[in-house]
Amino acid sequence: GVKVLIRGGGTVVGIEDVKEGRVDFAASCRRKTPDDPKDLEFIQVAWDALVFITHKSNGVSDISVSKVRDIFAGKITNWDQLGGGNMPIKLLISRPGRGLSGVESSTREMVLNGKDYPVAAGTLSLPSSGIVEQLVEQTEGGFAVSGYSSARKRNIKIFKVNGVYPNKEDISKNKYPLRRPLFLILPVNPKPSAKGFVDFVLSRDGQSYISKLGVVSLTDVK
């Protein structure tokens, strides 16, 4: 009987809204950092993976993490350097401008060896991964980093990484190399309805439902 209103905005907005009491809980695809409010709890509820995406017309299907670093650094600027057609690479990134977004944090940790984005000239910064994904759908030559759980729903191409495609099975078995956790964020003293929701998500039925939706549940990972 509890109605739930869901809205987007990304990890940074979600954390701010929970902190200020505007929402009862939020979602995040990055771990808690020392800069996050101390009175927020990050509870892992599922698994995701960092994925590299492009326009569906792109002829390139496989990419390595080292090549992605070169794209960010401006060393690779055209798809023909990756075996594709002669077309400039249009790098799109999720960077809200305040705080650390989930994709930005994961990219820094898992792709850039802990370093900040070495953003190439001409890079387009956007406020959330959802907007990045939408623009990749429309942009020939576009390239971006996003999360598997959301990107799989878009009309885009998702790259293999070193020959491994990010599907549910290979993410759960850790064959795909860029697996990352998904969290729900609550205040230390949450509302009973919010705590009840998280308890359900972590229950056998909740984890089974997550798995049926095509997302990697905690119980999918052995």
Side-chain angles (χ1 to χ4, degrees):
V2 178
K3 293 183 178 180
V4 181
L5 175 65
I6 303 173
R7 68 183 182 89
T11 293
V12 174
V13 172
I15 290 173
E16 289 180 354
D17 283 352
V18 176
K19 176 186 174 183
E20 298 300 325
R22 290 188 287 265
V23 300
D24 296 327
F25 63 90
S28 173
C29 54
R30 71 160 171 81
R31 302 177 189 278
K32 188 173 185 178
T33 72
D35 295 328
D36 289 324
K38 299 280 191 295
D39 56 353
L40 296 186
E41 187 176 7
F42 284 55
I43 301 170
Q44 186 181 352
V45 295
W47 288 97
D48 188 37
L50 204 65
V51 296
F52 308 120
I53 60 176
T54 187
H55 191 268
K56 63 180 181 179
S57 66
N58 198 322
V60 181
S61 298
D62 199 331
I63 198 166
S64 67
V65 172
S66 63
K67 295 295 185 186
V68 173
R69 291 192 198 106
D70 288 343
I71 291 173
F72 273 95
K75 296 177 182 178
I76 294 177
T77 58
N78 195 295
W79 287 109
D80 62 7
Q81 294 173 264
L82 297 170
N86 181 17
M87 181 179 293
I89 295 174
K90 299 173 183 176
L91 179 58
L92 312 170
I93 65 172
S94 168
R95 197 169 219 182
R98 62 190 190 284
L100 198 60
S101 75
V103 169
E104 183 179 2
S105 174
S106 298
T107 303
R108 187 167 69 174
E109 175 186 345
M110 305 174 77
V111 178
L112 302 175
N113 298 321
K115 299 177 182 177
D116 289 329
Y117 281 176
V119 179
T123 299
L124 181 60
S125 296
L126 298 159
S128 75
S129 296
I131 296 174
V132 168
E133 291 172 357
Q134 291 173 25
L135 201 53
V136 169
E137 285 183 317
Q138 306 165 20
T139 306
E140 289 191 52
F143 176 83
V145 187
S146 192
Y148 162 77
S149 299
S150 59
R152 68 194 177 96
K153 300 179 181 180
R154 301 286 186 180
N155 188 24
I156 55 175
K157 174 179 281 188
I158 300 178
F159 287 99
K160 296 177 183 177
V161 175
N162 300 331
V164 181
Y165 188 80
N167 56 38
K168 182 183 174 184
E169 181 179 2
D170 285 339
I171 293 170
S172 64
K173 293 180 178 178
N174 215 19
K175 291 182 179 179
Y176 181 77
L178 300 173
R179 192 171 73 185
R180 64 178 186 167
L182 292 177
F183 300 92
L184 290 179
I185 306 169
L186 285 87
V188 172
N189 296 307
K191 289 184 179 179
S193 56
K195 183 180 184 303
F197 178 79
V198 174
D199 288 344
F200 167 73
V201 170
L202 293 173
S203 71
R204 179 181 297 179
D205 287 344
Q207 289 294 302
S208 175
Y209 187 65
I210 287 173
S211 184
K212 288 177 182 177
L213 290 175
V215 177
V216 181
S217 71
L218 298 177
T219 53
D220 286 326
V221 175
K222 307 303 181 185

